[in-house]
Amino acid sequence: MAICRDRSDQFIHQIELACQHESDDIRVNLTKLLHDLYAIFTDKKSMAFDRLLMNISSENQELEVELYNQGPKRAYSTLAKYLEKMDQLGFIDCKRPTESSIYFFGFFQDLHWRAMVGLPIEIMDNERIDYFVERFIRGHAI
């Protein structure tokens, strides 16, 4: 569990860095966040560790819950706070920040599943990330 917490802390730290970036330009911050998270998700050691966790946790519901709470739930909450702040500052219209953060992280769903089952992972270029960030921001336009 300590290793899981440490890895989750590193992951959450990347989200916090993007959310605490000095720039109020949400586009810049979310683009940086996606690039940073893509690097984490596609790291070979990270993918192997995630596969190991899924195998181990499938037999232990308490561990499954803890992994969810330490990983995705914390990630959603951290990004939701940032989106709420951007809403309050008038940069976006985001009245349901938790749901929006879940949607945002959905960007990685295909990538994560491919990594979990050992399929090749598509290279995420700047154009693709920019497209996703632009669509996300347009969905929250004022």
Side-chain angles (χ1 to χ4, degrees):
M1 232 16 251
I3 293 170
C4 293
R5 283 192 186 106
D6 182 56
R7 291 185 49 76
S8 293
D9 287 346
Q10 291 173 12
F11 179 73
I12 299 302
H13 181 68
Q14 289 303 123
I15 299 168
E16 290 171 339
L17 285 177
C19 294
Q20 295 172 358
H21 197 266
E22 292 180 14
S23 172
D24 282 338
D25 187 339
I26 190 170
R27 185 173 280 101
V28 170
N29 296 341
L30 293 180
T31 299
K32 179 180 179 351
L33 176 58
L34 286 183
H35 280 285
D36 292 347
L37 295 180
Y38 176 75
I40 291 170
F41 272 96
T42 57
D43 175 70
K44 290 193 184 301
K45 288 181 183 177
S46 183
M47 289 187 295
F49 186 74
D50 285 347
R51 283 192 294 272
L52 176 64
L53 282 179
M54 293 308 282
N55 284 331
I56 293 170
S57 67
S58 67
E59 299 171 9
N60 182 333
Q61 186 175 14
E62 184 178 320
L63 180 58
E64 288 175 330
V65 170
E66 184 65 21
L67 289 173
Y68 176 79
N69 288 339
Q70 289 297 315
K73 187 174 181 180
R74 280 179 63 200
Y76 300 149
S77 176
T78 302
L79 184 58
K81 288 176 189 170
Y82 173 72
L83 295 174
E84 185 174 28
K85 175 184 163 189
M86 293 293 101
D87 176 75
Q88 290 169 352
L89 292 171
F91 293 116
I92 59 173
D93 179 20
C94 186
K95 302 305 182 224
R96 298 177 72 165
T98 300
E99 286 84 353
S100 291
S101 67
I102 292 168
Y103 172 74
F104 183 83
F105 284 114
F107 177 79
F108 289 104
Q109 187 172 9
D110 181 64
L111 180 86
H112 190 248
W113 275 104
R114 288 176 164 279
M116 296 305 291
V117 298
L119 292 174
I121 295 174
E122 295 180 38
I123 294 176
M124 203 64 59
D125 59 14
N126 289 339
E127 184 179 328
R128 195 166 178 191
I129 288 176
D130 290 346
Y131 175 85
F132 179 79
V133 169
E134 184 62 32
R135 295 299 158 275
F136 184 81
I137 291 172
R138 283 187 186 185
H140 293 85
I142 296 178

